[in-house]
Amino acid sequence: MPREESSKATRRNTRLSSSVTIENPEPNESHTPSVDDLTFGEEETITLDALLSNFPGRRSQILDLIRLMGPLDSPTLPIMVYGDASTGKTSVVLEAFKHLNRPFVYSSCRTCHSPRILFESVLNQLLLHRKSSSNGYSSAKRCDKPSDFVNLLREALGNVVETLGSTSGKPITGKMVYLILDHLDLIKEWDKGNMILQFLFSLCSVLKMPQLGIVLISGLPPDVYYSNMGYTDPIPVYFPEYSEDELRQIFLRTQDNNLKLYSAFLDVVLRPFCRVTRRVEELSTTFSLLFRKYCEPLDDLGISPNEDLKRRLYSHLKPHIASCLNEVFRVSSHLHDGDTRGERKQKSSYSSENRDELDTLDLHMSTSAKYLLIAAFLASRNPATLDASMFDSTGGMDNRKRKRKASEKSMEKKEIAEQEAVMKGPGSFPLERLLAIFQCIASVGDSSLGEEEGGEDEGEEATGYDKENNNLMSCVLLQVSSLCDANFITKSGSCPLEGSIRYRSMVSEDLALKVARSLSFPLAKYLYRR
């Protein structure tokens, strides 16, 4: 049994030695490298039913991937697996090869961050070479140029195919070898990255070896890479974002104990967080912390919660949901040297001596971008029906007027409304509403700055809104794109009735207040409080 485990670990380490960090970099001297190291091994194969059940919501993608790779020894066109981050692309591809038990070479462009490292990573695995102290941690072949890579790859691949043909008595796998390149979109950031991408897309036609199959994994769609270079376009397999029901199935699979209690917890937290992100790793980190908080009032974690207990547990968790929504998806800025997270929280006490320092905005953006960020924040937090009263000629709605004693019924309605607001999270808005709010608050900001600086003419120069309205509005569309790239604003899909893209603000109220203070803009005056 120890020999089998050692052999399995060595195969895995040999296969991924150039793309991941492993705790024990020294190879097992008793193990003789073979083409078996290019597969997961017979003992690790899984059935198709197990593969489908391991990935909820990915049945069609798994079946498409297996169908495109075809039967044993069947040549295939390049395949591009693409989709947003954390949609299961890499996991599904690797598990599909575990099911098919076919030899492959895996290299990630995140760790292989230059053409030379990428080329040598592929060659090392095909040549069954592993860096170690005995060889000075050097590669089997030095390869800097794409032309050299083609010649060395043809030679190495020919040797592997010949070896595979001589092992016909073993339960391996045919005479096809697959090259899996992960994080392909990162190549665009390399020096001469477009040239490397064109080379990789045309690799099959240049190599002219039907025994090589190529699987590309990318966070960007195929349209980004298309060019008139004459190569065969890869066959796309799209991995969409997980739906709320699919995320529920994924998280329920991680629980071994008391599924009813965890299901009740997901009823509370899944919907508001899904409106902000659907990345499994982000949600998993947050839910693990919130679930411990959710279970604090319980003495017995094996209890099956009834409706009354669910309400009490929700009341205990409710104050922490909004803070987690702000904290987890906050756009972080650089901490000062020597500051830890705990020290930074201690500094957030509102003492008079530290208040000015804390209110200082520690990121740089243009004035129009700041107003646009505030406009997006207001559009996500305020109901659209109140825009007319919020942004009227009086300069906003006074939230403190018309106070009267609330009845029990109205208080109950208010609590229900607050609960619904927490469950929904930040609202989405169309681009037209964002621009309308931006126009209103930018003009108010100009006039307030002009009053503070003592002159109406000086106020016009603050943002240039009144002076160069057309030029500024043309720049606003570019600013929206920049804020989306920086994750201050995110696209939340399109409305089937409106037919236009909707957006959602991702910034916390603390950050929005900091931006407003840097502009001397009265944000609280325009923020609707329930």
Side-chain angles (χ1 to χ4, degrees), residues 332-380:
S332 60
S333 56
H334 296 290
L335 297 177
H336 297 290
D337 293 339
D339 283 356
T340 62
R341 178 173 294 184
E343 292 170 347
R344 194 168 179 85
K345 287 183 177 180
Q346 291 177 0
K347 289 182 180 180
S348 64
S349 59
Y350 289 96
S351 59
S352 58
E353 57 185 14
N354 293 334
R355 183 65 179 270
D356 294 337
E357 180 181 354
L358 289 172
D359 288 347
T360 302
L361 188 66
D362 49 357
L363 54 90
H364 301 281
M365 62 174 61
S366 65
T367 302
S368 59
K370 290 180 181 179
Y371 278 113
L372 197 59
L373 187 145
I374 294 174
F377 176 78
L378 291 173
S380 277

Side-chain angles (χ1 to χ4, degrees), residues 369-424:
K370 290 180 181 179
Y371 278 113
L372 197 59
L373 187 145
I374 294 174
F377 176 78
L378 291 173
S380 277
R381 265 60 178 186
N382 292 347
T385 54
L386 296 181
D387 283 354
S389 58
M390 285 284 188
F391 306 104
D392 60 5
S393 58
T394 62
M397 184 175 68
D398 188 357
N399 294 319
R400 295 172 297 179
K401 61 184 179 182
R402 292 200 302 265
K403 284 189 176 181
R404 61 182 180 182
K405 186 176 180 180
S407 63
E408 292 183 0
K409 188 174 182 179
S410 63
M411 290 294 292
E412 183 179 353
K413 289 182 178 180
K414 184 178 180 180
E415 291 179 358
I416 295 175
E418 289 178 352
Q419 179 175 344
E420 291 177 351
V422 172
M423 295 287 288
K424 289 180 179 179

Side-chain angles (χ1 to χ4, degrees), residues 76-365:
T76 179
L77 293 174
I79 302 170
M80 174 175 282
V81 176
Y82 73 99
D84 290 336
S86 190
T87 51
K89 302 184 295 295
T90 303
S91 300
V92 167
V93 169
L94 294 179
E95 291 295 300
F97 276 91
K98 182 184 290 188
H99 163 66
L100 296 172
N101 195 29
R102 297 185 185 180
F104 69 93
V105 172
Y106 172 89
S107 290
S108 170
C109 297
R110 185 177 297 280
T111 53
C112 302
H113 48 78
S114 71
R116 175 186 170 185
I117 298 176
L118 178 63
F119 296 158
E120 292 182 358
S121 167
V122 174
L123 295 173
N124 286 340
Q125 295 176 70
L126 286 175
L127 296 172
L128 307 177
H129 172 84
R130 186 166 179 236
K131 297 179 181 180
S132 65
S133 58
S134 60
N135 54 43
Y137 298 98
S138 61
S139 298
K141 300 287 185 179
R142 181 180 177 89
C143 183
D144 296 304
K145 301 177 181 179
S147 57
D148 295 336
F149 178 67
V150 170
N151 295 328
L152 293 173
L153 179 62
R154 182 181 290 113
E155 180 183 354
L157 190 61
N159 293 334
V160 171
V161 171
E162 183 180 354
T163 306
L164 289 173
S166 65
T167 58
S168 57
K170 295 185 179 181
I172 203 173
T173 73
K175 298 180 182 180
M176 284 282 296
V177 178
Y178 296 84
L179 173 59
I180 303 175
L181 296 181
D182 202 355
H183 299 291
L184 186 73
D185 46 295
L186 296 181
I187 298 181
K188 295 176 68 67
E189 303 174 5
W190 294 359
D191 184 28
K192 299 181 180 179
N194 290 331
M195 183 185 70
I196 300 298
L197 284 171
Q198 293 169 7
F199 165 70
L200 293 176
F201 280 117
S202 59
L203 183 59
C204 280
S205 58
V206 172
L207 199 63
K208 296 180 180 179
M209 292 187 67
Q211 295 88 356
L212 177 67
I214 297 180
V215 180
L216 307 172
I217 305 176
S218 170
L220 298 176
D223 297 348
V224 176
Y225 306 101
Y226 285 163
S227 63
N228 298 322
M229 297 300 295
Y231 56 76
T232 303
D233 296 331
I235 302 174
V237 178
Y238 176 55
F239 278 57
E241 283 189 337
Y242 290 110
S243 67
E244 185 177 331
D245 182 63
E246 291 165 353
L247 287 172
R248 174 181 292 274
Q249 296 179 48
I250 291 172
F251 286 110
L252 286 176
R253 285 180 56 85
T254 64
Q255 295 298 312
D256 297 329
N257 302 317
N258 204 340
L259 292 180
K260 291 185 178 180
L261 179 62
Y262 196 76
S263 178
F265 165 74
L266 291 178
D267 290 338
V268 174
V269 300
L270 192 56
R271 178 165 296 177
F273 280 90
C274 281
R275 292 176 63 88
V276 181
T277 184
R278 302 201 175 192
R279 295 187 177 184
V280 176
E281 74 274 8
E282 292 179 346
L283 293 174
S284 178
T285 302
T286 307
F287 287 177
S288 62
L289 299 174
L290 285 177
F291 186 60
R292 288 198 293 269
K293 183 66 65 175
Y294 185 77
C295 296
E296 281 182 355
L298 298 176
D299 296 328
D300 180 14
L301 296 181
I303 191 173
S304 180
N306 54 29
E307 293 300 323
D308 181 62
L309 181 58
K310 289 180 182 179
R311 284 193 294 268
R312 289 194 290 112
L313 293 176
Y314 170 74
S315 299
H316 176 74
L317 184 66
K318 177 182 175 182
H320 305 281
I321 296 179
S323 60
C324 277
L325 281 169
N326 284 335
E327 183 67 24
V328 174
F329 309 107
R330 186 191 305 274
V331 179
S332 60
S333 56
H334 296 290
L335 297 177
H336 297 290
D337 293 339
D339 283 356
T340 62
R341 178 173 294 184
E343 292 170 347
R344 194 168 179 85
K345 287 183 177 180
Q346 291 177 0
K347 289 182 180 180
S348 64
S349 59
Y350 289 96
S351 59
S352 58
E353 57 185 14
N354 293 334
R355 183 65 179 270
D356 294 337
E357 180 181 354
L358 289 172
D359 288 347
T360 302
L361 188 66
D362 49 357
L363 54 90
H364 301 281
M365 62 174 61

